[in-house]
Amino acid sequence: MPQPSSRSAFPLALGLPIAVATGLVIPLQGRINGALGARLNDGIAAAVVSFTTGLLLISAISLATPKGRAGLQRIMPAVRNRSFPRFYVMAGAIGALFVFAQSFTVALLGVALFTVAAVTGQTLSGLLVDRMGIGPGGKRAITGVRVLGSVLTVAAVAWAVSPRFGGDADVASLLLPVLLPLAAGFLMSFQQAMNGTATVHYGTPVAATLVNFIAGSTILWIAWLIKLAVAGPGNPLPSEWWYYLGGPMGCLFIGLAALLVRSLGVLITGLGMIAGQLVGSLLLDVVIPSPGAVVALPTVLGTVLTLAAIIVATLPWPKGSFARRGPAKGR
């Protein structure tokens, strides 16, 4: 059974750009899932569609590729032998929450504000997860600089979302849509760490991605069947092909994140993906604005400040740079 190793598969110069490029996919997935939720008038159904299409794709990849088949053979022995805590197989529930948050709130908030809210939660939890040592890279210290970067991120988010709370806006009606991506983003770092650890023992991120989609799809199907019994079905499925791309995009960033956390750690992987999310979300809301999207000056500047906070949190500051120095000798 493969064991965690400290040897990096990707150097920072290669892994970080991959993380940024992976993050660019997430806002596009959010736009697609949000549009599907609005089209179906059912956020749960949209999440079910996204996860089910992703499950079909990753199942085909698992069966069609040698590494995928080898990973399938390692899943049950790893779980049975408790190579990692068994609840890690439920990491897909976090992905289900994130996709549901996309389907339910993107049409209300716009991609940019959804992303900034999710970014806040992910930045804060990245510190916690690295400190707890949940990921395959082990424990990493919470430094003053990283805390400062997190505080700056929260301030940037408050600034970026401020246009939505001006004028006659109903703050109460926006509170849940903002809190949902915030909570989903907070849990994403835990998902990445759990998937990264499972990937070490499965031998491939394909198997970890498959387990994610099985768990998430199961939860979402149960939730949708309950909703169906209580409230009835929403609108019929659309015929346009692009509504069904959310699931395959989820396969891409879940698999790459599970692979990258072993080399970069949870915080750096998450922050790299955050940078891609911020750039991609603003571009989408500027070039193809969705109903309810607000891209005012504070939104843009708040996003820039968030990027600055990420830089502050990731720069290799010399040890003791921010330590309090005593009075100079000889004075």
Side-chain angles (χ1 to χ4, degrees), residues 58-327:
I58 197 63
S59 297
I61 292 173
S62 298
L63 294 172
T65 62
K67 280 194 173 183
R69 291 192 296 270
L72 284 175
Q73 295 176 357
R74 291 188 176 122
I75 292 174
M76 290 309 299
V79 175
R80 186 167 50 247
N81 296 334
R82 299 182 182 272
S83 301
F84 49 82
R86 287 183 176 178
F87 68 86
Y88 281 22
V89 301
M90 294 305 298
I94 298 173
L97 175 62
F98 189 82
V99 171
F100 173 72
Q102 288 177 329
S103 304
F104 183 73
T105 65
V106 165
L108 298 174
L109 299 175
V111 175
L113 297 187
F114 173 92
T115 301
V116 174
V119 159
T120 302
Q122 190 174 355
T123 302
L124 295 175
S125 64
L127 292 169
L128 178 61
V129 170
D130 270 348
R131 182 65 183 88
M132 294 171 64
I134 297 175
K139 291 185 178 181
R140 297 168 188 249
I142 297 180
T143 64
V145 172
R146 290 185 174 188
V147 173
L148 175 61
S150 298
V151 172
L152 287 175
T153 301
V154 173
V157 170
W159 192 13
V161 303
S162 61
R164 287 304 304 252
F165 298 99
D168 298 327
D170 184 355
V171 175
S173 68
L174 292 176
L175 183 60
L176 178 60
V178 169
L179 289 179
L180 195 54
L182 182 68
F186 184 86
L187 292 172
M188 276 188 68
S189 294
F190 289 89
Q191 182 194 34
Q192 291 170 1
M194 293 155 69
N195 286 338
T197 298
T199 294
V200 172
H201 296 281
Y202 297 154
T204 171
V206 174
T209 305
L210 175 64
V211 173
N212 263 253
F213 273 89
I214 291 174
S217 297
T218 300
I219 291 172
L220 288 170
W221 271 101
I222 292 172
W224 183 74
L225 290 173
I226 293 173
K227 181 265 175 187
L228 183 66
V230 173
N235 297 326
L237 290 172
S239 58
E240 294 87 346
W241 60 270
W242 59 268
Y243 278 112
Y244 304 96
L245 293 179
M249 290 178 180
C251 292
L252 177 65
F253 71 74
I254 290 174
L256 285 175
L259 187 64
L260 289 170
V261 292
R262 183 179 180 186
S263 303
L264 306 182
V266 176
L267 181 64
I268 301 302
T269 298
L271 292 179
M273 293 176 68
I274 283 169
Q277 290 178 61
L278 290 170
V279 174
S281 64
L282 269 181
L283 287 175
L284 276 176
D285 273 353
V286 169
V287 177
I288 315 174
S290 61
V294 175
V295 186
L297 182 61
T299 306
V300 177
L301 295 180
T303 301
V304 172
L305 180 58
T306 305
L307 288 171
I310 292 171
I311 294 172
V312 168
T314 55
L315 280 178
W317 300 97
K319 186 176 181 180
S321 295
F322 294 86
R324 180 179 297 177
R325 290 179 171 85

